[in-house]
Amino acid sequence: MDHAADAHRTDLMTITRFVLNEQSKYPESRGDFTILLSHIVLGCKFVCSAVNKAGLAKLIGLAGETNIQGEEQKKLDVLSNDVFVKALVSSGRTSVLVSEEDEEATFVESSKRGKYCVVFDPLDGSSNIDCGVSIGTIFGIYTLTHTDEPTTEDVLKPGNEMVAAGYCMYGSSCMLVLSTGTGVHGFTLDPSLGEFILTHPDIKIPKKGNIYSVNEGNARNWDGPTTKYVEKCKFPKDGSPAKSLRYVGSMVADVHRTLLYGGIFLYPADKKSPNGKLRVLYEVFPMSFLMEQAGGQAFTGKKRALDLVPEKIHERSPIFLGSYDDVEEIKALYAMEEEKN
């Protein structure tokens, strides 16, 4: 037995240790955020285990219900939603929960309430479960700014007011990417320890990338700027090499690759979905928060994504996010379109 190697393994930066280190920088902190995060991490571990066993446990089939977005619910969606709602409520640190799977916001009973509101998509990309493609959980956290009875208004805030955001990707490895507003850090689940270990400290997205990620099947319904941008990716006129297309169709997987390798992820508005397809609170905001923290940008076609003020909890928006220079290009095309009109 290699005792030296085992001793080294206990010196790892786990996500709990990392968050406690961050907490110690704020002497006034009471540890509420740390407790909330540990419950989110537990939920992620549980869902990771369920995803890995899904084929064996016959969890893959449809649950026979349709969720608020009109998508047929897979059993794993339902399970993941239950897991996160229970984990967040039992933390005793939350007041309002908004889930992609539930039509209405969940208000925590007063005896278990805390000062945070959590918005989340418990299992994004679940249509990919059957074919083994990466799927994930996305979450964002707001602070409750008053002591009155919580309402839906407490989560209908711009993304720039989020205090933390992240996602957990269930793929070839289980990876949790988190930002508390001081950079972006990636943690990989070590199954032998059951712990998330810091493997990607201070992730920075390259300033420019050579990958674009979009569902080109919708191309005939796109607006002018998106069409021009994708044309430019494929047939650059300045002699630069064409960009590569990579599109998984699972937002967590596509954004994760964009974050690490650079490039741009696009889900524009089109004639079929004039407001875009992705939900503002628990898809657009958390991913935009992470992109900006990693040195990238996120744009809606009209403004900075984090400046949007949602009016409904399941509101949708177009989104262009990724490397700073790549997003600048699409912003310039939309600005030109604006001038023409």
Side-chain angles (χ1 to χ4, degrees):
M1 194 172 179
D2 188 344
H3 291 293
D6 280 348
H8 172 67
R9 291 183 78 202
T10 59
D11 190 34
L12 297 165
M13 179 61 79
T14 65
I15 193 163
T16 311
R17 187 175 154 197
F18 179 85
V19 175
L20 285 168
N21 281 2
E22 287 294 300
Q23 184 192 314
S24 66
K25 296 174 188 172
Y26 304 94
E28 74 284 3
S29 170
R30 297 201 349 256
D32 287 341
F33 183 74
T34 308
I35 290 166
L36 171 61
L37 212 59
S38 71
H39 281 252
I40 291 173
V41 166
L42 181 63
C44 291
K45 288 179 188 172
F46 192 99
V47 173
C48 178
S49 168
V51 166
N52 288 339
K53 293 190 294 219
L56 302 169
K58 293 275 186 293
L59 281 169
I60 281 173
L62 295 174
E65 293 171 26
T66 301
N67 73 358
I68 171 64
Q69 313 302 339
E71 297 162 349
E72 288 186 312
Q73 275 182 304
K74 300 254 170 175
K75 289 178 186 170
L76 261 178
D77 289 22
V78 184
L79 174 75
S80 308
N81 192 43
D82 289 349
V83 165
F84 278 101
V85 170
K86 290 196 172 93
L88 292 165
V89 171
S90 67
S91 72
R93 301 298 182 276
T94 58
S95 280
V96 189
L97 310 177
V98 172
S99 165
E100 193 246 5
E101 299 295 330
D102 296 327
E103 190 163 354
E104 303 294 335
T106 300
F107 297 100
V108 180
E109 60 181 275
S110 54
S111 62
K112 291 182 178 168
R113 263 182 216 156
K115 66 175 182 181
Y116 294 104
C117 306
V118 184
V119 292
F120 61 99
D121 185 344
L123 206 60
D124 184 74
S126 53
S127 59
N128 283 319
I129 295 166
D130 298 12
C131 58
V133 167
S134 295
I135 51 182
T137 300
I138 309 172
F139 61 91
I141 303 170
Y142 288 104
T143 307
L144 202 62
T145 50
H146 59 81
T147 51
D148 307 331
E149 198 67 16
T151 67
T152 313
E153 296 303 312
D154 294 315
V155 288
L156 294 177
K157 296 182 190 168
N160 55 37
E161 290 187 30
M162 274 186 174
V163 291
Y167 61 81
C168 187
M169 186 175 73
Y170 315 111
S172 51
S173 60
C174 178
M175 189 163 173
L176 196 148
V177 175
L178 173 72
S179 175
T180 56
T182 53
V184 181
H185 305 279
F187 303 82
T188 305
L189 184 64
D190 179 339
S192 64
L193 293 174
E195 288 279 9
F196 279 102
I197 309 298
L198 180 63
T199 50
H200 295 65
D202 201 18
I203 297 170
K204 290 281 179 244
I205 185 170
K207 197 153 187 295
K208 191 172 175 58
N210 58 5
I211 294 171
Y212 73 104
S213 185
V214 65
N215 182 353
E216 288 217 48
N218 294 331
R220 68 177 182 167
N221 294 319
W222 288 344
D223 62 14
T226 300
T227 306
K228 279 189 196 129
Y229 181 78
V230 172
E231 191 71 7
K232 197 174 160 194
C233 289
K234 295 196 280 194
F235 306 104
K237 295 201 166 60
D238 58 2
S240 59
K243 287 190 188 308
S244 295
L245 169 67
R246 297 282 182 274
Y247 187 70
V248 178
S250 173
M251 190 191 191
V252 171
D254 282 314
V255 171
H256 184 66
R257 182 200 55 250
T258 305
L259 194 59
L260 295 183
Y261 298 164
I264 188 166
F265 170 83
L266 312 86
Y267 211 117
D270 59 32
K271 290 175 192 143
K272 276 193 310 185
S273 313
N275 297 320
K277 193 88 183 286
L278 297 175
R279 271 70 58 144
V280 172
L281 273 182
Y282 41 79
E283 288 174 329
V284 170
F285 278 172
M287 294 311 201
S288 299
F289 187 94
L290 291 166
M291 275 299 162
E292 287 199 4
Q293 284 292 321
Q297 289 195 82
F299 176 64
T300 66
K302 290 191 173 78
K303 58 162 85 169
R304 175 190 177 211
L306 291 179
D307 290 342
L308 270 177
V309 183
E311 290 172 16
K312 301 193 298 286
I313 60 173
H314 296 295
E315 194 169 306
R316 298 169 191 261
S317 169
I319 185 68
F320 306 87
L321 51 78
S323 294
Y324 194 93
D325 289 355
D326 292 323
V327 178
E328 274 301 301
E329 282 185 36
I330 194 109
K331 280 164 79 173
L333 289 167
Y334 271 98
M336 276 162 58
E337 184 88 353
E338 192 88 354
E339 279 166 27
K340 273 196 267 173
N341 300 334

